[in-house]
Amino acid sequence: MKYLEAIRLALSELLASDQRVFIYGQDIAGPFGGAFKATKGLSERFPGRVLNSPISEDAMTGIAIGAAMDGMRPIVEYQFADFASVAFNQLVNHAGTLYYRTGRPCPIVARLPVGGTPGGGPFHCQMPETWLSNHPGLVVVAPATVADAYFMLKDAVACRDPVCFLEHKYLYYHLEAEFDPQSAEHPGLGRAVVRRPGDDLTIVAYSGMVHHAIAAAAQLESEHGLSAEVVDLRCVRPLDEETILASLSRTGRIIIASEGWPFGGPTAEVAALVAEKGFQFLDAPPVRLAARDTPIPFHPELFMAHHPDDHAIVQAALDLARY
Amino acid sequence: MKYLEAIRLALSELLASDQRVFIYGQDIAGPFGGAFKATKGLSERFPGRVLNSPISEDAMTGIAIGAAMDGMRPIVEYQFADFASVAFNQLVNHAGTLYYRTGRPCPIVARLPVGGTPGGGPFHCQMPETWLSNHPGLVVVAPATVADAYFMLKDAVACRDPVCFLEHKYLYYHLEAEFDPQSAEHPGLGRAVVRRPGDDLTIVAYSGMVHHAIAAAAQLESEHGLSAEVVDLRCVRPLDEETILASLSRTGRIIIASEGWPFGGPTAEVAALVAEKGFQFLDAPPVRLAARDTPIPFHPELFMAHHPDDHAIVQAALDLARY
Amino acid sequence: MTQQADRIALFRIMVLARTCDDRMAKLKAQNEVPGSVFVGRGQEAFSAAAGMRLRPGDLFAPLIRDQAGRFAFGETPLDAIRTVLGRRTGPMRGRDGNVHRGDWAAGLLPMISHLGAMVSPVVGTLLARRLAGKQTAGDLSVGVASIGDGGMNTGALHEAVNAAAVERLPLVLLVADNQYAYSTTSDRTYACAHLVERAIGYGIAGYRCDGTDADACLETVGAAITAARAGKGPQMVVADLLRLAGHGTHDDASYVGEDVKSRFGDCLQFYERTLMQQGVLTAESLAAIRDEARKQVEDAVQQALGEPQPDVAAEEWWARSERDLVNVRSA
Amino acid sequence: MTQQADRIALFRIMVLARTCDDRMAKLKAQNEVPGSVFVGRGQEAFSAAAGMRLRPGDLFAPLIRDQAGRFAFGETPLDAIRTVLGRRTGPMRGRDGNVHRGDWAAGLLPMISHLGAMVSPVVGTLLARRLAGKQTAGDLSVGVASIGDGGMNTGALHEAVNAAAVERLPLVLLVADNQYAYSTTSDRTYACAHLVERAIGYGIAGYRCDGTDADACLETVGAAITAARAGKGPQMVVADLLRLAGHGTHDDASYVGEDVKSRFGDCLQFYERTLMQQGVLTAESLAAIRDEARKQVEDAVQQALGEPQPDVAAEEWWARSERDLVNVRSA
Ligand SMILES: Cc1ncc(C[n+]2csc(CCOP(=O)(O)OP(=O)(O)O)c2C)c(N)n1
Ligand SMILES: Cc1ncc(C[n+]2csc(CCOP(=O)(O)OP(=O)(O)O)c2C)c(N)n1
Ligand SMILES: [Mg+2]
Ligand SMILES: [Mg+2]
């Protein structure tokens, strides 16, 4: 099953099993079924519960908030995470503040297609986790596997708090794997997981970057005899500090890699975390790998050079091992 | 002169000396002169150059962008930084991307009244530096002194890039100091400065928190014989890494304090910076002090307990010194 | 209710709101109030009219000048005052204050400050009720959202009203054109001849009314709400009136021109005179209404002043309801 | 220009744009294009009409279906194609692509993707020119901004048009109602009878025109631009037409109903037939225009294909023009 199909399966099962669930977003109704086809066929199977919205991200979000406060479990699809920038206020200042202010949680799920694809350019490739994570109240998750795309979307709808669900556009069609949707065994929404155990260093990543980390770890093993442990954050807000620190305590060295921009955000937060709470474990400085500090370039070659990949991680790991 | 008066003086001198400068924002024209009176008297002295805008932060920002691209040096006043959340897209995706995309910089200055005052509540007390700092392209400065309010505002207008100018609302009326507006001597826009030299530990802060840091340093000296160096970042994006690391190299211990929320942002960035590039200087883990991870409470007692103050810094410093 | 009883009820609410606003301003002057105090002086008739025509199960998203509408919709003076005083009691528990109070369960939305932002959540609730099959055709529960002449120019307002129009939901937009957005005159905030002209662009019904004429407000707002209930889609009512006080108690409103003042009177004074002239009110009943209002407000103030402040030591600093996300898992 | 010469010039532009769009689609099919390709098929008349009535010093903020307007305003096929191909040459240097090309100095705004976001910068430039005393009363430089039926419902659009109306700036909003926002039908994006009804709510002039009738477009858009130049404030022109292709080349537009297709023809075919019938065009001149367009586009394609890709090694990764803020200091 493909990453995108896992999301569609989860959506259809959610619509089938929970009358409170409906989906609202641009171009999601049939026959079209969404810019990425995540909702293909769903409006036909669930009449009146998969609704096209106007191009009004602020209102789309506010509408979900109102519906959630009235007992529904709305799922909003933004066509690209980049365009949620105009929904920023409703997300952080409304959805994110309701529980603390009123005691009533606001269970919306914001589905955000994130991440880069060659030729996508500055406004169709962004990673939004940093600007969604500073204000209190939002949960921000970024599934990197097909199974997580499925289970975490269901968990996101089960969560009482507003969840920003980051779906990586490159993984939509390029990531395929088998998994058992029936299996009761999957980690909780806020749990980071070790994708690959290792002893020499820890590579922390999330979303699409997890696959670069795994590829890098394989190469480090086969070509350099280095054993790298890969930690997939899965949930970037809040962080599973326990799992990160446990890995660091074993390896003593850590690289944090992200497709996002360098200033602030999860990479800074994890680096700060290990410096504050894992100081005694650190045999070397934590290393951050992030995108270049510019808008995301359109041209594929510039694009590929804009964010770290497995080669960059391998290089950083070799330097770190030598420290 | 008061912090607010320094801002007004800088604005009037900018309007007088540079025909390209105009100010656009809500309620800034006379006789009213702005929610905080920063522009009091200016529309009368500079007819047609201090313009009231509709309640349209997205358009206010886009209008400034267009004017700047046509050769002007617009200054936008947002009534509260909290409301710039609806200008987020124009700031980060438009102003911030123009130079890289087109080679033409976009010299706008966004004046943002930031920070908490008792009874201000969740939507009139926020610190926006974190969500303004992840996207590339924006400069984010936060003057903590009367002289900086004056000089940095002029420097912000001189800067070819878009500058978010964070004015602390509490300092507006409560901070008063003499300085010589004629003095050619002032640090550049991107420079952090040591407000108070010390040997035992470094306290990094910005905006209103600088004054808590200075008070804490004084108390640490007088009551505990600890010599704390206070570094005022002044510019949070980009960071003056040199000054921060130089201080740490002398003290070996560092506390980063902010009124902002804990996740990501300058406190995480500075902690990550010292862990990555100052690892060998660190005699103890870097310590971060930030606000509670909730919306900013309305009630003054809750409000005071929501963010760190000089007492919290002193306590953290004593613990850190003992490490 | 007979029409006269209705009119008296409306007048009562207006008096109660005015009394409460004045008392809050006094509390502010007495340094009892942590934050700002905003009053609806001069706008009571329009606001109250909406609350009067709502019923349990409906929604009301008030803004900063809607004390009258709040009372008419069921808010108690005690909840109003204890919130303004920042007491631990009451809906916001001192975490949020003054005009930001509300109770989603009761359909009274706690506003966030960003103007225009409260309309789409009303639209969303109305949509949810349709989807959940909770609405009865021809007798829909409706949602009233307040906005000002200034707030009409926010992107949030535009997107929300348009979305409501597309879904033909029973939204009633209450536009109080009080000639100023804070200190900014209408000619600096919009350029159409009258804000009611926005309605046609959204494809919804538009109404005008004289906000200083309480009977006209009751009739026009009532008609709009009735049309929304009947399933005629969103309705927009624009009232012409003037804020007869500062933006908040901190503002002396010295920027309000004499010419403007001369054009707008006080809806409360007008209504009192009318009801007296028509014999609907007598000197005695008027005095009784005033005493009653004063007593209600004073009782609330005294009780609220005696109520506890938030307990900092016991405060739970949680922005999320899920305390342990590591264990959040779908069934 | 004589009116006939004008009409022929308009037709030329339409043919050139159609030829260029088709060639870009072909390049995409040939895997020469990194990103998406959006075409303006069916919308050339309306777009070109605007460009035809602009002059140097004016502003044009095109969107994704404005190849015709771009050419009419002076963009070269070479700049269009090299940008679509992501070449280092051309205005965006491979950093941005396809429809995001532009040149602020030439008044051709490089769009960001967020719909509605390009209007307020046009307003700001027009405001700047008034403030800087660069405008000549009665003969103002104007700014044309494009938007679609879908984009009309963004908050950004609302705020920008309202601000332009308040300042009475010479903004001409070109609304191409092509019946769909991507796959979404108009009944799901707005509820007014016709989008021109939005104009009254903003207090600006509104015009309707048949977007499939090139002469009508030239006349109506021309009248609007003339009114803006004369100082009559913002103008809104709404054209009814249909996108005769997918949203982008990746989209087969299978969601477009036959009924809709039957209601809208091809502005280019219509105009060709009209001009032939009226003898304004002859078989020869038509063939010449077509050959000329093909040659222009093909020359541009060949040159662009030969131009260098961005040099990753030499790329300057700077989002700020000030390289060292530590030294930024006012004089
Ligand atoms: C998005 C946004 N920008 C700015 C403000 C600050 N503000 C609060 S009230 C106000 C004036 C509102 O005017 P209007 O909508 O006419 O309502 P009125 O105060 O006249 O009742 C402003 C600018 C805000 N609350 N929200
Ligand atoms: C704010 C925003 N939301 C979503 C999108 C994604 N998007 C790009 S084009 C488009 C449809 C636009 O429809 P319309 O405005 O009618 O223009 P048309 O494509 O029909 O010319 C959408 C939804 C966007 N660019 N900006
Ligand atoms: Mg008003
Ligand atoms: Mg369209």
Side-chain angles (χ1 to χ4, degrees):
Chain A
M1 189 182 306
K2 292 207 165 76
Y3 184 91
L4 178 69
E5 293 164 340
I7 289 169
R8 192 185 300 127
L9 178 64
L11 290 173
S12 62
E13 290 179 3
L14 285 161
L15 285 162
S17 65
D18 188 342
Q19 284 302 313
R20 302 171 306 170
V21 172
F22 71 99
I23 315 179
Y24 190 58
Q26 293 153 23
D27 304 296
I28 63 175
F32 192 65
F36 297 100
K37 305 289 167 254
T39 56
K40 186 87 180 164
L42 297 184
S43 69
E44 294 85 343
R45 280 182 52 202
F46 304 97
R49 294 174 61 198
V50 180
L51 304 169
N52 279 354
S53 72
I55 304 172
S56 304
E57 282 78 6
D58 183 282
M60 285 159 59
T61 312
I63 283 169
I65 290 168
M69 298 307 285
D70 204 54
M72 303 293 277
R73 291 286 168 126
I75 299 171
V76 178
E77 176 177 310
Y78 301 83
Q79 204 154 72
F80 286 81
D82 312 53
F83 304 133
S85 54
V86 287
F88 178 62
N89 183 60
Q90 289 285 3
L91 286 168
V92 300
N93 282 322
H94 211 168
T97 64
L98 276 163
Y99 175 70
Y100 181 73
R101 291 169 57 233
T102 72
R104 290 167 69 91
C106 179
I108 67 171
V109 173
R111 289 185 42 237
L112 302 155
V114 306
T117 53
F123 310 111
H124 290 75
C125 294
Q126 295 182 23
M127 298 293 296
E129 62 280 7
T130 299
W131 50 266
L132 290 168
S133 292
N134 181 242
H135 284 75
L138 299 180
V139 175
V140 181
V141 301
T145 70
V146 175
D148 274 355
Y150 173 85
F151 288 116
M152 292 179 80
L153 183 47
K154 290 194 149 184
D155 295 346
V157 171
C159 180
R160 289 189 306 265
D161 297 305
V163 178
C164 296
F165 187 84
L166 279 50
E167 310 173 353
H168 200 290
K169 295 189 292 292
Y170 185 83
L171 302 183
Y172 271 156
Y173 308 104
H174 294 83
L175 187 67
E176 192 158 7
E178 292 319 308
F179 75 101
D180 173 15
Q182 307 316 329
S183 116
E185 275 320 303
H186 71 277
L189 190 65
R191 174 68 76 195
V193 303
V194 173
R195 291 290 171 205
R196 176 192 168 110
D199 311 318
D200 300 334
L201 64 119
T202 299
I203 306 171
V204 173
Y206 57 96
S207 192
M209 191 55 60
V210 168
H211 300 279
H212 290 297
I214 291 169
Q219 194 184 331
L220 286 164
E221 184 100 75
S222 58
E223 297 177 19
H224 308 280
L226 270 179
S227 158
E229 176 152 295
V230 176
V231 174
D232 175 359
L233 290 178
R234 297 175 79 249
C235 182
V236 303
R237 176 77 152 117
L239 287 171
D240 177 359
E241 303 191 349
E242 199 183 307
T243 302
I244 298 165
L245 292 171
S247 177
L248 175 67
S249 70
R250 286 192 302 276
T251 63
R253 287 174 161 73
I254 189 164
I255 293 171
I256 309 115
S258 165
E259 188 180 329
W261 286 300
F263 195 97
T267 61
E269 193 59 34
V270 173
L273 166 73
V274 298
E276 278 183 286
K277 301 186 183 170
F279 194 65
Q280 68 282 17
F281 304 136
L282 284 169
D283 301 326
V287 174
R288 284 196 291 163
L289 298 175
R292 307 264 192 180
D293 196 17
T294 71
I296 301 153
F298 166 78
H299 192 284
E301 287 175 31
L302 293 177
F303 168 75
M304 296 312 288
H306 185 264
H307 58 272
D309 58 7
D310 43 359
H311 304 299
I313 296 173
V314 166
Q315 200 44 61
L318 295 176
D319 297 344
L320 181 57
R322 264 189 240 97
Y323 182 90
Chain B
M1 191 183 304
K2 291 207 165 76
Y3 183 90
L4 179 70
E5 293 163 340
I7 290 169
R8 191 184 301 128
L9 178 64
L11 290 173
S12 62
E13 291 179 4
L14 285 161
L15 285 163
S17 64
D18 189 341
Q19 283 303 313
R20 301 171 306 170
V21 172
F22 72 98
I23 314 178
Y24 191 57
Q26 292 152 24
D27 304 297
I28 63 174
F32 192 64
F36 297 99
K37 304 291 169 253
T39 56
K40 186 85 179 165
L42 297 183
S43 70
E44 294 84 346
R45 280 183 51 202
F46 305 97
R49 294 173 62 197
V50 180
L51 304 169
N52 279 355
S53 73
I55 304 172
S56 304
E57 282 78 5
D58 183 284
M60 284 159 59
T61 311
I63 284 169
I65 289 168
M69 297 308 284
D70 204 55
M72 303 293 276
R73 291 288 169 122
I75 299 171
V76 178
E77 175 176 312
Y78 301 83
Q79 205 153 71
F80 286 81
D82 312 55
F83 303 134
S85 55
V86 287
F88 179 62
N89 184 58
Q90 290 285 3
L91 286 168
V92 301
N93 282 321
H94 211 169
T97 64
L98 277 162
Y99 174 70
Y100 182 73
R101 292 169 56 232
T102 71
R104 291 168 67 92
C106 179
I108 67 171
V109 173
R111 289 183 44 237
L112 302 155
V114 306
T117 53
F123 310 111
H124 291 77
C125 294
Q126 296 182 22
M127 298 293 297
E129 62 281 6
T130 299
W131 49 267
L132 290 169
S133 292
N134 181 243
H135 285 75
L138 298 181
V139 175
V140 181
V141 301
T145 70
V146 175
D148 273 356
Y150 173 85
F151 287 117
M152 292 178 80
L153 183 48
K154 289 192 149 186
D155 295 347
V157 172
C159 181
R160 289 189 306 267
D161 298 305
V163 179
C164 297
F165 187 84
L166 278 51
E167 310 172 354
H168 199 290
K169 295 190 292 293
Y170 185 82
L171 301 184
Y172 272 155
Y173 308 105
H174 294 83
L175 187 68
E176 192 158 6
E178 291 321 308
F179 76 101
D180 173 15
Q182 306 316 329
S183 120
E185 276 317 302
H186 71 276
L189 190 63
R191 175 66 77 195
V193 301
V194 173
R195 290 290 171 205
R196 176 192 169 110
D199 311 317
D200 300 335
L201 65 121
T202 299
I203 306 171
V204 173
Y206 57 95
S207 192
M209 191 54 61
V210 169
H211 300 280
H212 290 296
I214 291 169
Q219 194 186 332
L220 286 164
E221 185 99 78
S222 58
E223 297 177 19
H224 307 280
L226 270 177
S227 156
E229 176 152 297
V230 176
V231 174
D232 175 359
L233 290 177
R234 299 175 78 247
C235 181
V236 302
R237 176 77 152 117
L239 287 171
D240 176 0
E241 304 191 349
E242 202 184 305
T243 301
I244 297 166
L245 292 171
S247 177
L248 176 66
S249 70
R250 283 192 304 275
T251 64
R253 287 174 159 73
I254 190 165
I255 293 171
I256 310 114
S258 165
E259 188 180 330
W261 286 300
F263 196 96
T267 60
E269 193 60 33
V270 172
L273 165 74
V274 298
E276 279 183 284
K277 301 185 182 171
F279 193 66
Q280 68 280 17
F281 304 135
L282 283 170
D283 301 327
V287 174
R288 284 196 292 163
L289 298 176
R292 307 266 192 179
D293 196 17
T294 70
I296 301 153
F298 166 78
H299 192 283
E301 287 176 32
L302 294 177
F303 168 75
M304 296 311 287
H306 185 263
H307 58 272
D309 58 8
D310 43 359
H311 304 297
I313 296 172
V314 166
Q315 198 45 61
L318 295 176
D319 296 344
L320 180 57
R322 266 190 237 94
Y323 182 89
Chain C
M1 268 203 273
T2 73
Q3 205 214 348
Q4 295 309 8
D6 244 14
R7 297 172 76 200
I8 294 172
L10 173 60
F11 181 74
R12 271 182 198 285
I13 293 288
M14 291 168 63
V15 171
L16 182 62
R18 178 74 57 98
T19 309
C20 189
D21 276 353
D22 290 349
R23 188 65 175 90
M24 285 181 182
K26 188 159 159 228
L27 284 166
K28 178 68 188 174
Q30 294 164 330
N31 268 314
E32 292 287 350
V33 179
S36 308
V37 167
F38 303 96
V39 300
R41 191 180 194 87
Q43 306 190 191
E44 292 93 345
F46 188 53
S47 182
M52 291 271 303
R53 290 298 181 238
L54 292 176
R55 61 190 193 198
D58 288 334
L59 298 166
F60 182 39
L63 287 184
I64 62 179
R65 317 214 180 277
D66 284 313
Q67 189 57 69
R70 289 170 174 272
F71 283 152
F73 189 55
E75 183 180 83
T76 64
L78 181 58
D79 271 349
I81 290 161
R82 61 186 9 162
T83 305
V84 167
L85 292 174
R87 290 308 195 263
R88 186 198 316 172
T89 51
M92 312 314 281
R93 301 163 294 163
R95 292 177 170 189
D96 207 341
N98 52 55
V99 289
H100 298 84
R101 65 191 181 272
D103 175 0
W104 271 94
L108 184 66
L109 274 54
M111 63 176 274
I112 69 168
S113 295
H114 300 70
L115 291 167
M118 295 312 298
V119 184
S120 55
V122 172
V123 176
T125 302
L126 296 171
L127 179 64
R129 290 177 179 184
R130 173 191 292 169
L131 295 178
K134 292 185 194 163
Q135 291 282 36
T136 314
D139 187 33
L140 308 170
S141 61
V142 307
V144 168
S146 278
I147 197 73
D149 45 288
M152 283 292 280
N153 308 303
T154 59
L157 185 284
H158 176 67
E159 295 189 356
V161 174
N162 181 67
V166 165
E167 297 289 351
R168 270 186 77 78
L169 290 164
L171 169 74
V172 178
L173 189 70
L174 218 60
V175 186
D177 187 341
N178 61 5
Q179 318 306 313
Y180 290 85
Y182 206 153
S183 74
T184 304
T185 49
S186 300
D187 64 316
R188 295 293 305 165
T189 52
Y190 62 83
C192 52
H194 193 274
L195 279 172
V196 73
E197 295 176 341
R198 293 266 170 99
I200 183 175
Y202 292 117
I204 65 178
Y207 309 73
R208 267 183 84 149
C209 75
D210 174 353
T212 66
D213 177 341
D215 284 327
C217 290
L218 195 58
E219 186 183 339
T220 311
V221 174
I225 291 176
T226 302
R229 281 204 201 291
K232 299 203 162 58
Q235 315 283 313
M236 175 188 296
V237 189
V238 185
D240 305 299
L241 39 73
L242 182 65
R243 189 190 71 206
L244 300 178
H247 176 67
T249 53
H250 55 275
D251 171 29
D252 64 9
S254 50
Y255 47 78
V256 176
E258 288 309 320
D259 52 325
V260 183
K261 287 188 190 151
S262 66
R263 274 167 43 223
F264 297 92
D266 178 349
C267 58
L268 184 57
Q269 279 179 18
F270 284 168
Y271 208 36
E272 177 184 318
R273 201 175 313 132
T274 311
L275 295 179
M276 292 288 283
Q277 279 164 359
Q278 297 176 357
V280 180
L281 282 180
T282 63
E284 298 65 35
S285 56
L286 175 59
I289 289 171
R290 290 202 177 126
D291 294 343
E292 168 65 19
R294 256 191 305 274
K295 183 172 183 322
Q296 273 183 274
V297 169
E298 209 43 49
D299 290 352
V301 168
Q302 292 318 319
Q303 168 161 355
L305 283 172
E307 289 180 337
Q309 309 277 359
D311 176 353
V312 177
E315 179 68 3
E316 293 194 311
W317 300 102
W318 278 97
R320 289 184 307 268
S321 69
E322 305 274 9
R323 301 297 161 96
D324 182 6
L325 279 157
V326 163
N327 294 330
V328 169
R329 211 190 262 93
S330 51
Chain D
M1 272 202 272
T2 72
Q3 206 215 345
Q4 296 308 8
D6 245 15
R7 298 173 77 201
I8 294 173
L10 173 59
F11 181 73
R12 269 184 202 285
I13 293 288
M14 292 168 63
V15 171
L16 183 62
R18 178 74 58 96
T19 309
C20 190
D21 275 353
D22 290 349
R23 189 65 177 87
M24 285 181 182
K26 188 159 161 233
L27 283 166
K28 179 68 188 172
Q30 293 164 330
N31 268 313
E32 292 286 352
V33 180
S36 309
V37 167
F38 303 97
V39 300
R41 191 181 195 87
Q43 305 189 193
E44 292 93 343
F46 188 52
S47 182
M52 292 270 304
R53 290 300 180 238
L54 292 177
R55 61 189 192 199
D58 288 334
L59 298 166
F60 182 39
L63 288 183
I64 63 179
R65 316 209 181 278
D66 283 313
Q67 189 57 71
R70 287 170 174 274
F71 284 151
F73 190 55
E75 184 181 80
T76 64
L78 182 58
D79 271 349
I81 290 161
R82 59 186 9 162
T83 304
V84 167
L85 292 174
R87 290 307 195 265
R88 185 199 316 173
T89 51
M92 311 314 281
R93 302 163 294 165
R95 292 177 170 189
D96 207 342
N98 52 55
V99 289
H100 297 84
R101 65 190 181 273
D103 175 0
W104 269 95
L108 183 68
L109 274 54
M111 62 177 275
I112 69 168
S113 295
H114 301 70
L115 291 168
M118 295 311 298
V119 183
S120 55
V122 172
V123 176
T125 302
L126 296 171
L127 179 64
R129 290 177 181 186
R130 172 190 292 169
L131 295 179
K134 292 183 193 165
Q135 292 281 36
T136 315
D139 187 33
L140 307 171
S141 61
V142 307
V144 169
S146 279
I147 197 73
D149 44 287
M152 283 292 281
N153 308 304
T154 59
L157 185 285
H158 176 67
E159 295 189 357
V161 174
N162 181 67
V166 166
E167 296 290 350
R168 271 185 78 78
L169 290 164
L171 169 75
V172 178
L173 189 71
L174 218 59
V175 186
D177 187 342
N178 61 5
Q179 318 306 312
Y180 290 85
Y182 206 156
S183 74
T184 303
T185 49
S186 301
D187 63 316
R188 295 292 306 164
T189 52
Y190 63 83
C192 52
H194 193 275
L195 280 172
V196 74
E197 294 175 343
R198 294 267 170 99
I200 183 174
Y202 292 118
I204 65 178
Y207 309 74
R208 268 182 84 149
C209 76
D210 175 353
T212 66
D213 178 339
D215 285 326
C217 290
L218 195 57
E219 186 184 337
T220 310
V221 174
I225 291 177
T226 303
R229 281 203 201 293
K232 298 201 161 57
Q235 315 284 312
M236 175 187 296
V237 189
V238 185
D240 305 299
L241 38 72
L242 182 65
R243 186 189 73 207
L244 300 177
H247 177 66
T249 54
H250 55 273
D251 171 29
D252 65 11
S254 51
Y255 47 79
V256 177
E258 288 310 321
D259 52 325
V260 183
K261 286 186 189 151
S262 66
R263 274 169 40 224
F264 297 91
D266 179 349
C267 59
L268 184 57
Q269 278 178 22
F270 285 167
Y271 208 36
E272 177 184 318
R273 199 174 312 133
T274 311
L275 295 178
M276 292 288 282
Q277 281 164 356
Q278 299 176 356
V280 180
L281 283 180
T282 64
E284 298 65 36
S285 56
L286 175 60
I289 287 171
R290 289 204 178 120
D291 294 343
E292 168 65 18
R294 257 194 302 274
K295 183 170 181 319
Q296 272 183 274
V297 169
E298 207 45 46
D299 290 352
V301 168
Q302 293 317 319
Q303 166 158 356
L305 283 171
E307 289 182 336
Q309 309 277 358
D311 177 353
V312 176
E315 178 68 3
E316 293 195 310
W317 299 103
W318 277 98
R320 290 184 306 267
S321 69
E322 305 276 9
R323 300 299 162 95
D324 182 6
L325 279 157
V326 163
N327 293 330
V328 169
R329 205 189 266 96
S330 51

